[in-house]
Amino acid sequence: MKSFFHVKTVDQVLALVQEFHPLNAEDAPLAEACGRTLAESLVAREMVPEFDRSSMDGYAVRARDTFGTSEGLPGLFEVAGEVAMGTVPDLVVGPGQAARIWTGGMLPKGADAVVMLEYARGVDDHLVELCRPAAPFDHVVRRGEDVRPGQEMLPAGRRLRPQDVGLLAALGYSQVRVTRRPAAAILSTGDEVAPVDQVPGPGRVRDVNAYTLSALVEAAGGRAVRLGLIRDDREALLTHIQAGLDQADVVVLSGGSSVGVRDLTIDAFESIPGVEILVHGVAVSPGKPLIVARKGNQSLWGLPGHIVSALITGDLFLRPLLARLLGRETERRRPI
């Protein structure tokens, strides 16, 4: 007769998850880095921006020349020229002068502020009225204002967002060092489970867990490897588990984790050389018949076959494991 569960608490299971080690690092092209986890902190190698630049369309001026201007008493300025985008200006803004400038343009010598285009009225090709005063460096992004060399920009363990990728592009990183994505082999078990493209007969259900658990793995930053549907056959189960261990960091079975005569997962795990059973039963409902085993830094998971139970235990425990393998800090949160 099979023994019943030796139930562990949620915190005990999560503590066991933290005993696994993060995976090795690899290089990824920047274009493929979004969603990946940084394996090392990234430090700025240069200033951003590398020059004083305008943050508005308007006129580059000497701020002190605009003091006292208003709608009722605009200042009259000589147009010294126009700053071409992507070039170093060859003009100098002198007293009483203004230079046409566009957003992102390099501030010309002599200028220390920009008056927005909305507060400028052209008189002719050589004169412009400005009706708003500017303080020094108004509408100017100064050299090194965003980033300075040696500044840590992104810490190790950060899951890269689109804006992070943009920052790395601005810093000149064409590739980044990231943690290898953990592969999770997904298996569904049970004579009553049918493929999703079939109409299940009486007493049978479609294989939902393979898809929800695969989606959970991908959403957590892992790579799902679906190994199919297995009937309640011990030898077939062992073959598929070994296939999972041969190609994945995590093997996830749904179904067969309880203590009934057809619940084969615990026996199959114990039959594999080098496997240690860490958990058989957790104090959570639904999801009590959870199995967790370990082989080196690989883990084997027996989740309940019930759809809600499988997803809850996957979210509570499998997701933090994947975060741990990725070198990310984990957070406890309520189940989905």
Side-chain angles (χ1 to χ4, degrees):
M1 178 179 294
K2 295 187 178 183
S3 61
F4 203 63
F5 308 116
H6 299 287
V7 176
K8 284 184 166 59
T9 66
V10 171
D11 287 336
Q12 286 175 321
V13 178
L14 290 173
L16 290 169
V17 163
Q18 294 305 304
E19 294 180 3
F20 289 87
H21 305 298
L23 302 179
N24 58 298
E26 61 187 12
D27 292 324
L30 184 60
E32 301 172 12
C34 191
R36 301 296 299 273
T37 302
L38 283 177
E40 58 188 19
S41 62
L42 291 183
V43 175
R45 301 178 293 199
E46 57 194 45
M47 287 194 176
V48 178
E50 293 188 353
F51 53 88
D52 291 348
R53 58 188 298 180
S54 175
S55 64
M56 294 286 177
D57 294 344
Y59 286 87
V61 296
R62 303 193 322 163
R64 58 185 177 273
D65 293 343
T66 69
F67 294 169
T69 60
S70 65
E71 289 283 351
L73 188 63
L76 188 63
F77 290 78
E78 176 189 0
V79 179
E82 181 175 322
V83 176
M85 292 296 294
T87 66
V88 177
D90 59 359
L91 58 88
V92 177
V93 175
Q97 291 185 324
R100 187 71 178 270
I101 195 168
W102 307 100
T103 303
M106 184 175 182
L107 204 68
K109 290 182 179 180
D112 62 359
V114 172
V115 176
M116 294 171 59
L117 195 60
E118 289 88 335
Y119 303 113
R121 296 192 292 261
V123 177
D124 55 33
D125 292 340
H126 305 289
L127 295 173
V128 64
E129 287 184 338
L130 302 180
C131 54
R132 176 68 65 89
F137 301 107
D138 266 1
H139 307 305
V140 174
V141 182
R142 304 199 64 181
R143 180 172 185 259
E145 182 175 320
D146 293 334
V147 176
R148 291 187 174 275
Q151 181 181 352
E152 183 184 83
M153 302 309 302
L154 298 171
R158 171 77 160 241
R159 189 173 188 180
L160 293 173
R161 306 167 298 167
Q163 55 267 48
D164 298 327
V165 173
L167 173 62
L168 294 174
L171 294 172
Y173 284 92
S174 60
Q175 65 178 22
V176 290
R177 194 77 172 157
V178 294
T179 306
R180 179 173 63 81
R181 293 177 68 195
I186 309 295
L187 299 135
S188 297
T189 68
D191 294 338
E192 76 282 7
V193 183
V196 295
D197 57 355
Q198 293 184 11
V199 177
R204 304 191 72 196
V205 294
R206 287 192 174 95
D207 182 14
V208 173
N209 289 341
Y211 293 89
T212 56
L213 294 174
S214 294
L216 184 150
V217 167
E218 296 282 345
R223 179 172 59 87
V225 182
R226 288 201 296 272
L227 294 188
L229 177 59
I230 313 163
R231 299 181 66 83
D232 290 319
D233 179 271
R234 185 177 184 277
E235 294 306 315
L237 186 60
L238 282 170
T239 298
H240 281 77
I241 292 172
Q242 189 58 58
L245 288 171
D246 289 342
Q247 59 185 300
D249 306 286
V250 185
V251 178
V252 183
L253 280 69
S254 64
S257 65
S258 192
V259 292
V261 294
R262 293 173 62 252
D263 296 320
L264 305 174
T265 301
I266 188 75
D267 289 338
F269 286 176
E270 290 176 330
S271 299
I272 299 172
V275 169
E276 175 192 4
I277 303 298
L278 302 178
V279 178
H280 190 197
V282 61
V284 65
S285 181
K288 182 178 181 180
L290 171 73
I291 302 171
V292 184
R294 178 173 189 165
K295 183 179 182 182
N297 202 45
Q298 292 177 290
S299 61
L300 302 92
W301 294 72
L303 306 186
H306 186 274
I307 294 169
V308 176
S309 298
L311 195 53
I312 285 177
T313 51
D315 186 67
L316 271 176
F317 306 114
L318 183 58
R319 179 185 51 79
L321 170 76
L322 296 171
R324 176 63 179 165
L325 295 178
L326 285 163
R328 295 204 304 258
E329 291 296 323
T330 61
E331 293 182 4
R332 287 281 303 278
R333 63 181 175 86
R334 296 181 62 181
I336 52 178

